[in-house]
Amino acid sequence: STPSSMPSSTPTSMPSSDPSSTPTGTPSSTPTGMPSSMPSNTPTSMPSRMPTNMPSNSPSSTPSGSPSSTPSSMPTATPSGMPSNTPTETPSSTPSSMPSSMPTGMPSSSPSSKPSNTPTDMPSSMPSSKPSSKPSNIPTGMPSSMPTGTPSSSPSNTPSGTPSNAPTVMPSSTPTTQPSFRPTVQPRCNCEMPTVQRESDLADIFLNVSGITEFASGTPQDTAKEWMINVDCGCYCPQDPKSQQRYTLAVFYFSTDGPHWNECSAALDCNDPTAVANANANCGRSRVLVDPFNVPTFFDTEAWLSPGNECLWGGVECRSDSLCVDRLEFDNNGLLGTIPTELQALTEMRYVLLERDNLAGTIPTELGVLPLTVLDLNDNNVTGTIPTEIFVFGSTPGSFAGLIQLDLDTNQLTGTIPTVVGVPQFLQFIQVQGNQLTGTIPTEVASLTFINTAEFFQNQFTGTVPEGLCALRTDVIIPGTPPFLTKLTADCNPALVTSPNFVNCSCCSDCPLTLTGG
């Protein structure tokens, strides 16, 4: 009933009721009812019902056939090759080389100090203090305090406190609280959207402005689009309402051979401050007409396509309240090309003055949607007819005053003067001399009670100047009264009496044979 003080060389066939103080060199075939204070050098073939108070220094090479009913109070210093079915109360300092097939029903009170090499098939309910070397296939419900070295294929529902070194393939639903160590390639423009989406959205906006379904390579529209998306240092975004205005002006620049203008051509590199400064130094402007309505506006003399606001480009003037283009004005600046229809997008533009240049093509009918006060295209190579649309805008009483000055002299215009010429009630100045216009001078011109200048010579008109227009003629200017018609010209020179283009005019102020400039 009482064990010997020294173990026998050979164990008894039946164990004593109390274990010996020193274990036998060879274990008994059946374990004692109570564990010894020290583990045996060689484990028993059957485990004891209760574990030893202190774990063995090294696990047995072969685990026992069945685990003890109660785990040891402390884990072994070195983990076993296979995990136990029931975890220890305190985790091992180093995890097992292979994870358990299923996580424990209850997590350990504290996670292991080092993560396992391979994650479990199913995530644990609580993350480890340090990430595993490889991410789990399914992220944990709550993020780990530190991310894994390699991102998981799918983001976690809640971001980690510290970002991963490399981002996941798919972004997380909620961003990390701190930026990643190695950021992704920064987009050229910060529009809070992927670069591809910015490019696509801007292209759609520009297609709509130009009224086309696709960009033809090498056209002013395509060149302006490419500049806005890939070159412009102003970096406009789709959500910027002025992106349409900037694109429209860029189309105008490339439609009129902007790189070869006399002044205000763009710098070769908008990122080069010296190049931009030199381009700005070669940009001036002259404001020919004073606005009779005194609308507050502003302008500057920066080169075109410069990084600053397009309202500051030389020759452009914008309203102070809306920052919309109010005036486009150039005189003898070497403009070569056509007037783009995209100008209709500048919905508040009142002044279009493009004089003494080399513009060709027709006058876009789309200009009729603008609240034009002045349209001045004299001394160009414009062809086609005079659009009726430019006379109609603002004709309703109480609306915008409408056209006040129309200067189209010295071009190659054909056709007749539209009868709606009499619609703009405040039209004061009309010059169409030096074209190839035909027909008669319409009687509707006589309804222009504020007209002070009307020049029709060097065309192919016939007939007689309307009597109502002659009724407005005077050589006397009375201060404080509405303007009277002081300058009226036509092909009425007596030397042309036998010409089919002779116009009978008894009230003209002059019947010149040659152009003297408009």
Side-chain angles (χ1 to χ4, degrees), residues 284-299 315-318 326-327 329-331 350-351 353 355:
R285 61 152 290 159
S286 58
R287 197 172 189 267
V288 177
L289 293 177
V290 176
D291 178 30
F293 302 101
N294 295 317
V295 174
T297 59
F298 68 97
F299 59 88
V316 177
E317 190 167 332
C318 289
D326 180 71
R327 182 185 298 228
E329 183 172 357
F330 285 107
D331 185 357
R350 297 179 299 144
Y351 291 85
L353 300 98
E355 304 179 78

PDB file of all heavy atoms in Angstrom, residues 284-299 315-318 326-327 329-331 350-351 353 355:
ATOM      1  N   GLY A 284      -0.429  89.635 -75.402  1.00  0.00           N
ATOM      2  CA  GLY A 284      -1.078  90.884 -75.041  1.00  0.00           C
ATOM      3  C   GLY A 284      -2.501  90.861 -75.562  1.00  0.00           C
ATOM      4  O   GLY A 284      -2.955  89.880 -76.144  1.00  0.00           O
ATOM      5  N   ARG A 285      -3.224  91.913 -75.370  1.00  0.00           N
ATOM      6  CA  ARG A 285      -4.571  91.983 -75.920  1.00  0.00           C
ATOM      7  C   ARG A 285      -5.018  93.432 -75.980  1.00  0.00           C
ATOM      8  O   ARG A 285      -4.526  94.291 -75.233  1.00  0.00           O
ATOM      9  CB  ARG A 285      -5.557  91.167 -75.089  1.00  0.00           C
ATOM     10  CG  ARG A 285      -5.693  91.625 -73.665  1.00  0.00           C
ATOM     11  CD  ARG A 285      -7.062  91.289 -73.118  1.00  0.00           C
ATOM     12  NE  ARG A 285      -8.076  92.117 -73.750  1.00  0.00           N
ATOM     13  CZ  ARG A 285      -9.355  91.809 -73.795  1.00  0.00           C
ATOM     14  NH1 ARG A 285      -9.779  90.681 -73.283  1.00  0.00           N
ATOM     15  NH2 ARG A 285     -10.225  92.612 -74.370  1.00  0.00           N
ATOM     16  N   SER A 286      -5.947  93.694 -76.881  1.00  0.00           N
ATOM     17  CA  SER A 286      -6.503  95.038 -76.993  1.00  0.00           C
ATOM     18  C   SER A 286      -8.018  94.918 -76.939  1.00  0.00           C
ATOM     19  O   SER A 286      -8.611  94.115 -77.654  1.00  0.00           O
ATOM     20  CB  SER A 286      -6.074  95.692 -78.313  1.00  0.00           C
ATOM     21  OG  SER A 286      -6.500  94.901 -79.412  1.00  0.00           O
ATOM     22  N   ARG A 287      -8.624  95.679 -76.086  1.00  0.00           N
ATOM     23  CA  ARG A 287     -10.076  95.668 -75.931  1.00  0.00           C
ATOM     24  C   ARG A 287     -10.624  96.804 -76.780  1.00  0.00           C
ATOM     25  O   ARG A 287     -10.540  97.980 -76.410  1.00  0.00           O
ATOM     26  CB  ARG A 287     -10.440  95.839 -74.465  1.00  0.00           C
ATOM     27  CG  ARG A 287     -11.853  95.444 -74.093  1.00  0.00           C
ATOM     28  CD  ARG A 287     -11.989  95.497 -72.565  1.00  0.00           C
ATOM     29  NE  ARG A 287     -13.235  94.945 -72.089  1.00  0.00           N
ATOM     30  CZ  ARG A 287     -14.332  95.657 -71.864  1.00  0.00           C
ATOM     31  NH1 ARG A 287     -14.310  96.962 -72.104  1.00  0.00           N
ATOM     32  NH2 ARG A 287     -15.431  95.085 -71.405  1.00  0.00           N
ATOM     33  N   VAL A 288     -11.181  96.462 -77.928  1.00  0.00           N
ATOM     34  CA  VAL A 288     -11.594  97.482 -78.890  1.00  0.00           C
ATOM     35  C   VAL A 288     -12.870  98.182 -78.451  1.00  0.00           C
ATOM     36  O   VAL A 288     -12.963  99.412 -78.465  1.00  0.00           O
ATOM     37  CB  VAL A 288     -11.790  96.848 -80.289  1.00  0.00           C
ATOM     38  CG1 VAL A 288     -12.286  97.899 -81.281  1.00  0.00           C
ATOM     39  CG2 VAL A 288     -10.487  96.235 -80.774  1.00  0.00           C
ATOM     40  N   LEU A 289     -13.872  97.416 -78.071  1.00  0.00           N
ATOM     41  CA  LEU A 289     -15.180  97.983 -77.762  1.00  0.00           C
ATOM     42  C   LEU A 289     -15.455  97.990 -76.264  1.00  0.00           C
ATOM     43  O   LEU A 289     -15.139  97.034 -75.555  1.00  0.00           O
ATOM     44  CB  LEU A 289     -16.274  97.184 -78.470  1.00  0.00           C
ATOM     45  CG  LEU A 289     -16.306  97.270 -79.999  1.00  0.00           C
ATOM     46  CD1 LEU A 289     -17.387  96.364 -80.547  1.00  0.00           C
ATOM     47  CD2 LEU A 289     -16.536  98.699 -80.458  1.00  0.00           C
ATOM     48  N   VAL A 290     -16.042  99.062 -75.815  1.00  0.00           N
ATOM     49  CA  VAL A 290     -16.483  99.165 -74.427  1.00  0.00           C
ATOM     50  C   VAL A 290     -17.911  98.636 -74.349  1.00  0.00           C
ATOM     51  O   VAL A 290     -18.749  98.924 -75.205  1.00  0.00           O
ATOM     52  CB  VAL A 290     -16.430 100.628 -73.939  1.00  0.00           C
ATOM     53  CG1 VAL A 290     -16.986 100.734 -72.520  1.00  0.00           C
ATOM     54  CG2 VAL A 290     -15.013 101.141 -73.997  1.00  0.00           C
ATOM     55  N   ASP A 291     -18.192  97.836 -73.327  1.00  0.00           N
ATOM     56  CA  ASP A 291     -19.518  97.252 -73.180  1.00  0.00           C
ATOM     57  C   ASP A 291     -20.511  98.333 -72.746  1.00  0.00           C
ATOM     58  O   ASP A 291     -20.373  98.914 -71.673  1.00  0.00           O
ATOM     59  CB  ASP A 291     -19.464  96.117 -72.138  1.00  0.00           C
ATOM     60  CG  ASP A 291     -20.815  95.492 -71.901  1.00  0.00           C
ATOM     61  OD1 ASP A 291     -21.628  95.476 -72.851  1.00  0.00           O
ATOM     62  OD2 ASP A 291     -21.067  95.024 -70.770  1.00  0.00           O
ATOM     63  N   PRO A 292     -21.529  98.603 -73.551  1.00  0.00           N
ATOM     64  CA  PRO A 292     -22.495  99.652 -73.179  1.00  0.00           C
ATOM     65  C   PRO A 292     -23.365  99.272 -71.991  1.00  0.00           C
ATOM     66  O   PRO A 292     -24.004 100.140 -71.389  1.00  0.00           O
ATOM     67  CB  PRO A 292     -23.334  99.818 -74.451  1.00  0.00           C
ATOM     68  CG  PRO A 292     -23.221  98.502 -75.148  1.00  0.00           C
ATOM     69  CD  PRO A 292     -21.843  98.007 -74.857  1.00  0.00           C
ATOM     70  N   PHE A 293     -23.380  97.973 -71.654  1.00  0.00           N
ATOM     71  CA  PHE A 293     -24.232  97.521 -70.546  1.00  0.00           C
ATOM     72  C   PHE A 293     -23.463  97.445 -69.226  1.00  0.00           C
ATOM     73  O   PHE A 293     -24.046  97.151 -68.178  1.00  0.00           O
ATOM     74  CB  PHE A 293     -24.824  96.145 -70.873  1.00  0.00           C
ATOM     75  CG  PHE A 293     -25.621  96.142 -72.149  1.00  0.00           C
ATOM     76  CD1 PHE A 293     -25.075  95.637 -73.322  1.00  0.00           C
ATOM     77  CD2 PHE A 293     -26.898  96.663 -72.186  1.00  0.00           C
ATOM     78  CE1 PHE A 293     -25.802  95.629 -74.495  1.00  0.00           C
ATOM     79  CE2 PHE A 293     -27.633  96.669 -73.359  1.00  0.00           C
ATOM     80  CZ  PHE A 293     -27.084  96.157 -74.518  1.00  0.00           C
ATOM     81  N   ASN A 294     -22.159  97.686 -69.286  1.00  0.00           N
ATOM     82  CA  ASN A 294     -21.309  97.712 -68.082  1.00  0.00           C
ATOM     83  C   ASN A 294     -21.433  96.450 -67.236  1.00  0.00           C
ATOM     84  O   ASN A 294     -21.488  96.504 -65.998  1.00  0.00           O
ATOM     85  CB  ASN A 294     -21.639  98.940 -67.222  1.00  0.00           C
ATOM     86  CG  ASN A 294     -21.296 100.247 -67.923  1.00  0.00           C
ATOM     87  OD1 ASN A 294     -20.244 100.359 -68.547  1.00  0.00           O
ATOM     88  ND2 ASN A 294     -22.199 101.219 -67.834  1.00  0.00           N
ATOM     89  N   VAL A 295     -21.463  95.302 -67.887  1.00  0.00           N
ATOM     90  CA  VAL A 295     -21.474  94.025 -67.164  1.00  0.00           C
ATOM     91  C   VAL A 295     -20.091  93.810 -66.561  1.00  0.00           C
ATOM     92  O   VAL A 295     -19.077  93.911 -67.264  1.00  0.00           O
ATOM     93  CB  VAL A 295     -21.824  92.864 -68.111  1.00  0.00           C
ATOM     94  CG1 VAL A 295     -21.692  91.525 -67.385  1.00  0.00           C
ATOM     95  CG2 VAL A 295     -23.237  93.034 -68.660  1.00  0.00           C
ATOM     96  N   PRO A 296     -19.982  93.525 -65.259  1.00  0.00           N
ATOM     97  CA  PRO A 296     -18.660  93.313 -64.631  1.00  0.00           C
ATOM     98  C   PRO A 296     -17.948  92.097 -65.220  1.00  0.00           C
ATOM     99  O   PRO A 296     -18.492  90.981 -65.209  1.00  0.00           O
ATOM    100  CB  PRO A 296     -18.999  93.093 -63.153  1.00  0.00           C
ATOM    101  CG  PRO A 296     -20.348  93.709 -62.964  1.00  0.00           C
ATOM    102  CD  PRO A 296     -21.072  93.472 -64.256  1.00  0.00           C
ATOM    103  N   THR A 297     -16.754  92.327 -65.740  1.00  0.00           N
ATOM    104  CA  THR A 297     -15.966  91.248 -66.333  1.00  0.00           C
ATOM    105  C   THR A 297     -14.504  91.393 -65.913  1.00  0.00           C
ATOM    106  O   THR A 297     -14.118  92.395 -65.314  1.00  0.00           O
ATOM    107  CB  THR A 297     -16.049  91.285 -67.876  1.00  0.00           C
ATOM    108  OG1 THR A 297     -15.570  92.565 -68.338  1.00  0.00           O
ATOM    109  CG2 THR A 297     -17.471  91.068 -68.357  1.00  0.00           C
ATOM    110  N   PHE A 298     -13.706  90.393 -66.244  1.00  0.00           N
ATOM    111  CA  PHE A 298     -12.270  90.465 -65.971  1.00  0.00           C
ATOM    112  C   PHE A 298     -11.519  89.723 -67.070  1.00  0.00           C
ATOM    113  O   PHE A 298     -12.076  88.873 -67.762  1.00  0.00           O
ATOM    114  CB  PHE A 298     -11.949  89.851 -64.602  1.00  0.00           C
ATOM    115  CG  PHE A 298     -12.161  88.365 -64.509  1.00  0.00           C
ATOM    116  CD1 PHE A 298     -11.105  87.471 -64.677  1.00  0.00           C
ATOM    117  CD2 PHE A 298     -13.427  87.854 -64.242  1.00  0.00           C
ATOM    118  CE1 PHE A 298     -11.309  86.103 -64.589  1.00  0.00           C
ATOM    119  CE2 PHE A 298     -13.641  86.480 -64.151  1.00  0.00           C
ATOM    120  CZ  PHE A 298     -12.579  85.613 -64.322  1.00  0.00           C
ATOM    121  N   PHE A 299     -10.240  90.042 -67.237  1.00  0.00           N
ATOM    122  CA  PHE A 299      -9.410  89.390 -68.247  1.00  0.00           C
ATOM    123  C   PHE A 299      -7.952  89.525 -67.848  1.00  0.00           C
ATOM    124  O   PHE A 299      -7.595  90.261 -66.925  1.00  0.00           O
ATOM    125  CB  PHE A 299      -9.653  89.985 -69.638  1.00  0.00           C
ATOM    126  CG  PHE A 299      -9.364  91.456 -69.730  1.00  0.00           C
ATOM    127  CD1 PHE A 299      -8.090  91.923 -70.026  1.00  0.00           C
ATOM    128  CD2 PHE A 299     -10.376  92.381 -69.524  1.00  0.00           C
ATOM    129  CE1 PHE A 299      -7.816  93.278 -70.109  1.00  0.00           C
ATOM    130  CE2 PHE A 299     -10.112  93.755 -69.605  1.00  0.00           C
ATOM    131  CZ  PHE A 299      -8.836  94.202 -69.901  1.00  0.00           C
ATOM    132  N   GLY A 315      -7.100  87.436 -74.822  1.00  0.00           N
ATOM    133  CA  GLY A 315      -8.167  87.449 -75.817  1.00  0.00           C
ATOM    134  C   GLY A 315      -9.480  86.914 -75.278  1.00  0.00           C
ATOM    135  O   GLY A 315     -10.503  86.991 -75.964  1.00  0.00           O
ATOM    136  N   VAL A 316      -9.462  86.374 -74.057  1.00  0.00           N
ATOM    137  CA  VAL A 316     -10.675  85.850 -73.425  1.00  0.00           C
ATOM    138  C   VAL A 316     -11.075  86.804 -72.301  1.00  0.00           C
ATOM    139  O   VAL A 316     -10.225  87.304 -71.564  1.00  0.00           O
ATOM    140  CB  VAL A 316     -10.444  84.436 -72.849  1.00  0.00           C
ATOM    141  CG1 VAL A 316     -11.692  83.930 -72.141  1.00  0.00           C
ATOM    142  CG2 VAL A 316     -10.030  83.477 -73.961  1.00  0.00           C
ATOM    143  N   GLU A 317     -12.362  87.050 -72.184  1.00  0.00           N
ATOM    144  CA  GLU A 317     -12.878  87.878 -71.096  1.00  0.00           C
ATOM    145  C   GLU A 317     -14.074  87.160 -70.490  1.00  0.00           C
ATOM    146  O   GLU A 317     -14.920  86.635 -71.223  1.00  0.00           O
ATOM    147  CB  GLU A 317     -13.287  89.249 -71.632  1.00  0.00           C
ATOM    148  CG  GLU A 317     -13.609  90.266 -70.559  1.00  0.00           C
ATOM    149  CD  GLU A 317     -13.704  91.683 -71.127  1.00  0.00           C
ATOM    150  OE1 GLU A 317     -13.035  91.969 -72.144  1.00  0.00           O
ATOM    151  OE2 GLU A 317     -14.453  92.494 -70.557  1.00  0.00           O
ATOM    152  N   CYS A 318     -14.145  87.099 -69.160  1.00  0.00           N
ATOM    153  CA  CYS A 318     -15.203  86.343 -68.484  1.00  0.00           C
ATOM    154  C   CYS A 318     -16.015  87.241 -67.568  1.00  0.00           C
ATOM    155  O   CYS A 318     -15.524  88.254 -67.071  1.00  0.00           O
ATOM    156  CB  CYS A 318     -14.609  85.199 -67.664  1.00  0.00           C
ATOM    157  SG  CYS A 318     -13.941  83.843 -68.645  1.00  0.00           S
ATOM    158  N   ASP A 326     -17.410  85.766 -71.708  1.00  0.00           N
ATOM    159  CA  ASP A 326     -18.279  86.842 -72.179  1.00  0.00           C
ATOM    160  C   ASP A 326     -17.803  87.381 -73.523  1.00  0.00           C
ATOM    161  O   ASP A 326     -18.606  87.856 -74.314  1.00  0.00           O
ATOM    162  CB  ASP A 326     -18.293  87.977 -71.150  1.00  0.00           C
ATOM    163  CG  ASP A 326     -19.181  89.133 -71.562  1.00  0.00           C
ATOM    164  OD1 ASP A 326     -20.415  88.960 -71.538  1.00  0.00           O
ATOM    165  OD2 ASP A 326     -18.639  90.210 -71.909  1.00  0.00           O
ATOM    166  N   ARG A 327     -16.476  87.277 -73.767  1.00  0.00           N
ATOM    167  CA  ARG A 327     -15.905  87.874 -74.984  1.00  0.00           C
ATOM    168  C   ARG A 327     -14.731  87.051 -75.492  1.00  0.00           C
ATOM    169  O   ARG A 327     -13.930  86.535 -74.710  1.00  0.00           O
ATOM    170  CB  ARG A 327     -15.446  89.298 -74.677  1.00  0.00           C
ATOM    171  CG  ARG A 327     -14.865  90.054 -75.865  1.00  0.00           C
ATOM    172  CD  ARG A 327     -14.312  91.426 -75.447  1.00  0.00           C
ATOM    173  NE  ARG A 327     -15.334  92.301 -74.907  1.00  0.00           N
ATOM    174  CZ  ARG A 327     -15.519  93.568 -75.271  1.00  0.00           C
ATOM    175  NH1 ARG A 327     -14.750  94.106 -76.192  1.00  0.00           N
ATOM    176  NH2 ARG A 327     -16.452  94.313 -74.712  1.00  0.00           N
ATOM    177  N   GLU A 329     -11.855  87.903 -78.366  1.00  0.00           N
ATOM    178  CA  GLU A 329     -11.450  89.042 -79.192  1.00  0.00           C
ATOM    179  C   GLU A 329     -10.001  88.922 -79.657  1.00  0.00           C
ATOM    180  O   GLU A 329      -9.077  88.847 -78.840  1.00  0.00           O
ATOM    181  CB  GLU A 329     -11.642  90.339 -78.401  1.00  0.00           C
ATOM    182  CG  GLU A 329     -11.306  91.587 -79.194  1.00  0.00           C
ATOM    183  CD  GLU A 329     -11.680  92.857 -78.447  1.00  0.00           C
ATOM    184  OE1 GLU A 329     -12.260  92.755 -77.343  1.00  0.00           O
ATOM    185  OE2 GLU A 329     -11.385  93.953 -78.966  1.00  0.00           O
ATOM    186  N   PHE A 330      -9.821  88.880 -80.981  1.00  0.00           N
ATOM    187  CA  PHE A 330      -8.495  88.884 -81.597  1.00  0.00           C
ATOM    188  C   PHE A 330      -8.516  89.798 -82.812  1.00  0.00           C
ATOM    189  O   PHE A 330      -9.511  89.852 -83.545  1.00  0.00           O
ATOM    190  CB  PHE A 330      -8.070  87.480 -82.028  1.00  0.00           C
ATOM    191  CG  PHE A 330      -7.659  86.585 -80.892  1.00  0.00           C
ATOM    192  CD1 PHE A 330      -8.485  85.549 -80.471  1.00  0.00           C
ATOM    193  CD2 PHE A 330      -6.451  86.774 -80.251  1.00  0.00           C
ATOM    194  CE1 PHE A 330      -8.113  84.725 -79.427  1.00  0.00           C
ATOM    195  CE2 PHE A 330      -6.063  85.957 -79.201  1.00  0.00           C
ATOM    196  CZ  PHE A 330      -6.898  84.926 -78.783  1.00  0.00           C
ATOM    197  N   ASP A 331      -7.421  90.487 -83.047  1.00  0.00           N
ATOM    198  CA  ASP A 331      -7.297  91.369 -84.206  1.00  0.00           C
ATOM    199  C   ASP A 331      -5.920  91.165 -84.812  1.00  0.00           C
ATOM    200  O   ASP A 331      -4.899  91.418 -84.169  1.00  0.00           O
ATOM    201  CB  ASP A 331      -7.492  92.822 -83.774  1.00  0.00           C
ATOM    202  CG  ASP A 331      -7.496  93.794 -84.955  1.00  0.00           C
ATOM    203  OD1 ASP A 331      -7.282  93.345 -86.103  1.00  0.00           O
ATOM    204  OD2 ASP A 331      -7.707  95.002 -84.728  1.00  0.00           O
ATOM    205  N   ARG A 350     -21.185  87.202 -75.364  1.00  0.00           N
ATOM    206  CA  ARG A 350     -21.878  88.288 -76.057  1.00  0.00           C
ATOM    207  C   ARG A 350     -21.042  88.921 -77.165  1.00  0.00           C
ATOM    208  O   ARG A 350     -21.588  89.548 -78.075  1.00  0.00           O
ATOM    209  CB  ARG A 350     -22.282  89.382 -75.055  1.00  0.00           C
ATOM    210  CG  ARG A 350     -23.266  88.927 -73.979  1.00  0.00           C
ATOM    211  CD  ARG A 350     -23.597  90.073 -73.026  1.00  0.00           C
ATOM    212  NE  ARG A 350     -22.392  90.553 -72.338  1.00  0.00           N
ATOM    213  CZ  ARG A 350     -22.159  91.818 -72.019  1.00  0.00           C
ATOM    214  NH1 ARG A 350     -23.029  92.762 -72.344  1.00  0.00           N
ATOM    215  NH2 ARG A 350     -21.058  92.173 -71.379  1.00  0.00           N
ATOM    216  N   TYR A 351     -19.721  88.768 -77.085  1.00  0.00           N
ATOM    217  CA  TYR A 351     -18.843  89.433 -78.057  1.00  0.00           C
ATOM    218  C   TYR A 351     -17.958  88.401 -78.759  1.00  0.00           C
ATOM    219  O   TYR A 351     -17.218  87.662 -78.106  1.00  0.00           O
ATOM    220  CB  TYR A 351     -17.942  90.458 -77.351  1.00  0.00           C
ATOM    221  CG  TYR A 351     -18.662  91.667 -76.812  1.00  0.00           C
ATOM    222  CD1 TYR A 351     -19.260  91.634 -75.556  1.00  0.00           C
ATOM    223  CD2 TYR A 351     -18.741  92.838 -77.552  1.00  0.00           C
ATOM    224  CE1 TYR A 351     -19.920  92.744 -75.050  1.00  0.00           C
ATOM    225  CE2 TYR A 351     -19.393  93.962 -77.057  1.00  0.00           C
ATOM    226  CZ  TYR A 351     -19.984  93.915 -75.807  1.00  0.00           C
ATOM    227  OH  TYR A 351     -20.640  95.006 -75.309  1.00  0.00           O
ATOM    228  N   LEU A 353     -15.243  88.884 -81.641  1.00  0.00           N
ATOM    229  CA  LEU A 353     -14.510  89.807 -82.510  1.00  0.00           C
ATOM    230  C   LEU A 353     -13.234  89.112 -82.987  1.00  0.00           C
ATOM    231  O   LEU A 353     -12.273  88.973 -82.236  1.00  0.00           O
ATOM    232  CB  LEU A 353     -14.162  91.112 -81.777  1.00  0.00           C
ATOM    233  CG  LEU A 353     -15.350  91.933 -81.252  1.00  0.00           C
ATOM    234  CD1 LEU A 353     -15.578  91.644 -79.775  1.00  0.00           C
ATOM    235  CD2 LEU A 353     -15.088  93.425 -81.458  1.00  0.00           C
ATOM    236  N   GLU A 355     -11.064  89.757 -86.067  1.00  0.00           N
ATOM    237  CA  GLU A 355     -10.860  90.626 -87.227  1.00  0.00           C
ATOM    238  C   GLU A 355      -9.502  90.412 -87.881  1.00  0.00           C
ATOM    239  O   GLU A 355      -8.545  89.999 -87.244  1.00  0.00           O
ATOM    240  CB  GLU A 355     -10.957  92.093 -86.802  1.00  0.00           C
ATOM    241  CG  GLU A 355     -12.231  92.497 -86.101  1.00  0.00           C
ATOM    242  CD  GLU A 355     -12.193  93.963 -85.702  1.00  0.00           C
ATOM    243  OE1 GLU A 355     -12.408  94.808 -86.591  1.00  0.00           O
ATOM    244  OE2 GLU A 355     -11.924  94.264 -84.526  1.00  0.00           O
TER     245      GLU A 355
END
